[in-house]
Amino acid sequence: MLPIKETFPSATARALAAAAAFACALAWAPVAAADGPYLSGGTTVEWQDNVTNASSGAGILGAFSASVTGGATWLKTLDFSTLLSLGMDTGAEAWARYDRLDRVSAGPRLELKHKWGLGPFAPVLLIDVSADATLVGDGERSNASGEVRAAYSQRWTDGLQTEIGAALGGADARQAVFSGHHVAADGALNWDVAEGWRIKILGGWRNGDVVTNYRAKQISGVWVPSISDPSDYAGSTLGGYSPAYPGPSRLVTTFHTPFIAYRLLGHTWSYGLGVAPAIGADTTLLVQYVRLETWSPTAVYTNDVVSAGVVRKF
Amino acid sequence: MPRIALPLIALVTAASRLAAAAGSADGAIHVLTRDAAGQPVSNAVVSLTRLGDPEAAPTPPNDPVPIGQRHQEFETYVTPIVMGTRVVFPNQDTVKHHVYSVSKAKRFEIPLYIGDSKETVLFDRPGVVTLGCNIHDWMIAYVVVLTTSHFTKTGADGTGLISGLPPGTYDLVVWHPLMTGTVQQQITVAPAGDATQVIPLSLHPDRRVRRAPDSGSSGYR
């Protein structure tokens, strides 16, 4: 019998998702008389070289995915400088090799935007509340998630803009190993180097629950990480369902062969570069590279993500 | 409109004509603008002010001049008017706009509205007024407030016409949103005959706040 360790589902994650959904519902009444809906959509193709978030060795697997997103937004101006927007976003993603990661989701989004002063160079404060739920997806990984984010945006010249933000979020899945919460900070610099051509420089930090996967093998009826060399893994507490390992874990077949998924507490640094040419006034292409480096007491891993996509507002 | 900074050549042809019916000695000036690549330049405001024997101040029109908003842009990029003209800003868009200006020649803001605005704005000082929308940062337009009734704005083909010019010496001034420096020159309009003036202008690149949507950034996976 496969011993499964599961902790109590994250109460924080439930509270955040519920608060986000409630805030959006509460805002519906005044926004119902607002301008809109304004529609937008996009599609992206992405490559991740470490979908499993494995530390090293044969557990590192790469994969392509494609996604399509759509959104509808209603706008309501509260005063000269404050704009409230309520949106509904949907998305579908499909994975070339691991169809158990395929997912269809939807959720509301509420944003309050306040500008101090007149003109494009006035500073802007943004507060976003969003929630998202899996409508179609893998039973184990399907979740409801929510996030609250505050950001400060400043345009310095016609072609240079920066934004920094901080967020608090959580997710609640059927299996505790895929639930968790996090805090994060992010920054972006948008540089319009020429008419219609934008360079994006991105950076971020995240601290919270992460999921890392290790190839598994069965020894005397117990599933353990398939460690060819103990030095492949940072720390020994991930040796099977070691009593020393406190977090939730679970045997998964998402990647076609047995893997053990572990939920860990770690911090992730991210940095990236993108090029976003404008196609007319309402369409943007984006080619982007982001590197994610995650550190935890029991696992260290990286993930290089390359994506290409298009966004259009109608 | 040129996308790079190149010298612009404005070809000004002074052609004096007699009005067939009244035998007036008034002249007319044809304005022709070209950039260094030979392409026409639109939205250049050319104004003439008579020297020596100044004319009376021009009478502004009774009706306000409209500068509408549609598809989240100002419908008219450059609007030349005489001092004392009232301007109205009808919003034919599906979203509200917050039109404003912080220019010295006229500071104002019209609170959020949609549809026809009841408020008209009096432009009672000469100069260039830059318009914007506080909601949509990429929206920009200009109002050029003049003290003379002799002016024209070049069209898409780079041409314009100033007619009804009494003979005399005039101060010719050219303004364009992208021009660097000033262009000011004296010309003489005769009762008959014609003259050609070539005036070089230099423009800086047309850089505006980006309107295309910003895509989301990659986050944790």
Side-chain angles (χ1 to χ4, degrees), chain B residues 108-120:
Chain B
F108 73 95
E109 60 179 307
I110 302 177
L112 298 160
Y113 68 101
I114 195 168
D116 290 336
S117 170
K118 297 182 178 59
E119 184 172 342
T120 62

Side-chain angles (χ1 to χ4, degrees), chain A residues 38 46 48 77 79-80 115 117-119 158 190 192 195-196 198 200 206 210 276 278 281-282 284 286 288 290, chain B residues 3 94-96 98 100 109 111-112 134 137-138 206-207 209-215 217-221:
Chain A
Y38 298 97
E46 185 174 274
Q48 292 186 46
T77 43
D79 63 29
F80 298 167
K115 179 189 275 192
L118 290 173
D158 285 338
N190 295 318
D192 297 328
E195 184 178 355
R198 168 169 289 181
K200 298 175 69 70
R206 179 189 185 280
V210 299
D282 299 316
T284 296
L286 176 65
Q288 184 170 279
V290 176
Chain B
R3 302 295 188 191
T94 55
V95 292
K96 292 180 180 174
H98 176 187
Y100 75 94
E109 60 179 307
L112 298 160
N134 204 35
D137 287 336
W138 60 82
D206 187 9
R207 293 297 305 275
V209 172
R210 178 175 165 126
R211 171 175 173 165
D214 192 14
S215 44
S217 60
S218 171
Y220 168 76
R221 281 169 171 73

